[in-house]
Amino acid sequence: MKNHNPQSTSETAALVATLAADLRRLTEEGSSTGNNFLIIGCNPARNYYVQFLSSVGSAVMLAEAVSDAYVLGGPLTDDQRRRLRQLGWLKPTKKKRPNYWRRFSAIRDKDFTRMAELAVTTLERVYGWNVAEGQPAVKIHFA
């Protein structure tokens, strides 16, 4: 359940701002021929994560939220799947997109903020992360 105390709200807002800046970096740093990615994870025992993929100069970002294909310790619950769909994640496909996924415009500041907000909301509402547990793990890679 989401914690609504003022400290967690400000911590969550700071996390969203940091993630939005990191997501912008995926389109500004690294190689234009390689793939840059950002992975935000919580609960390593279950391998819960949201990840983003883009390259320098791209105006599009691919986002994925972990599905049964990569979750550890058993499949997602029906409630988790329902919440993913309610948040706008598209269902996995058998071959091309094994995770829940979405494409985003990656041009304006509000685009990156929207992606960061979705990542944090997904971690909270679907995968059970709470800001009181500390920051989620963030890995960023530039090709």
Side-chain angles (χ1 to χ4, degrees):
M1 176 156 290
K2 192 170 180 180
N3 187 340
H4 290 287
N5 70 47
Q7 182 180 6
S8 69
T9 301
S10 65
E11 290 172 4
T12 300
L15 175 61
V16 167
T18 299
L19 291 175
D22 286 343
L23 288 166
R24 178 175 282 287
R25 290 178 57 205
L26 296 183
T27 65
E28 296 175 344
E29 297 179 26
S31 169
S32 61
T33 58
N35 290 320
N36 299 327
F37 61 85
L38 175 80
I39 302 171
I40 309 142
C42 68
N43 192 347
R46 294 282 289 153
N47 195 35
Y48 289 149
Y49 63 84
V50 175
Q51 64 185 3
F52 296 87
L53 175 73
S54 194
S55 59
V56 171
S58 179
V60 177
M61 183 92 58
L62 173 65
E64 294 184 336
V66 72
S67 71
D68 291 342
Y70 299 105
V71 161
L72 302 176
L76 296 173
T77 66
D78 290 341
D79 187 54
Q80 286 174 305
R81 288 187 200 93
R82 181 183 53 76
R83 288 176 187 212
L84 283 161
R85 297 289 292 136
Q86 286 175 338
L87 290 171
W89 292 99
L90 301 172
K91 288 183 180 180
T93 62
K94 289 189 180 196
K95 293 186 180 182
K96 189 171 182 180
R97 301 269 180 250
N99 281 322
Y100 288 85
W101 64 282
R102 288 181 66 166
R103 288 193 188 275
F104 288 93
S105 173
I107 300 169
R108 296 178 292 281
D109 287 341
K110 69 179 181 179
D111 297 334
F112 297 100
T113 299
R114 193 174 109 205
M115 287 182 261
E117 289 171 342
L118 176 66
V120 170
T121 300
T122 300
L123 292 177
E124 288 177 329
R125 294 185 188 168
V126 177
Y127 303 129
W129 173 77
N130 185 311
V131 71
E133 298 170 11
Q135 297 294 314
V138 178
K139 178 181 178 181
I140 190 165
H141 172 79
F142 299 99

